Amino acid sequence: MDRFIDVESLIGLAREASAVKGDCGCLRYDLVGWGSWPVGLYEDSFIKIGTLAKYSPEDAIIEEYHPHGTTYWSPEAPIAPRYYPYNQSTLWQCGKCARLYLRHNDDGAYHVAPRIRRVQYGLVINAPHHSDGREVRAVAH
Ligand SMILES: [Zn+2]
């Protein structure tokens, strides 16, 4: 079972990671916004820290948070852990430099695409959701 990381913890970890200086192999890839898993990047270069997922994929909202006109792919899109896809992401750190990365699987119709995005401290935002990120389903009668 992955350790659940709440928003405050993520902000704290992101602040620590933002102090990391120096070059690293993980910076060779453009992962400021979400990207497909890059060829040449190795799974075992990362250490899992925990998960931002409070609810299972079936129960979590699929709403995204873009108050300033960003999209899923935008490099400046907010990292709002109660919203998709962050509410289904796991948190990892580079084994060499300790920079933080988020990963999630984008479930397409025919295949699952692994995505990765570098955590930028200034973009992590504690944006509330009226349901706390849990989908409220209509009760069938
Ligand atoms: Zn690194």
Side-chain angles (χ1 to χ4, degrees), residues 20 23-27 45-46 93-99 101:
V20 175
D23 198 13
C24 184
C26 69
L27 294 177
S45 304
F46 296 90
Q93 77 182 165
C94 175
K96 285 204 181 107
C97 71
R99 284 181 177 88
Y101 289 85

Side-chain angles (χ1 to χ4, degrees), residues 59-73:
D59 289 336
I61 60 162
I62 54 168
E63 258 174 83
E64 298 183 19
Y65 184 73
H66 298 295
H68 303 296
T70 48
T71 71
Y72 173 95
W73 298 104

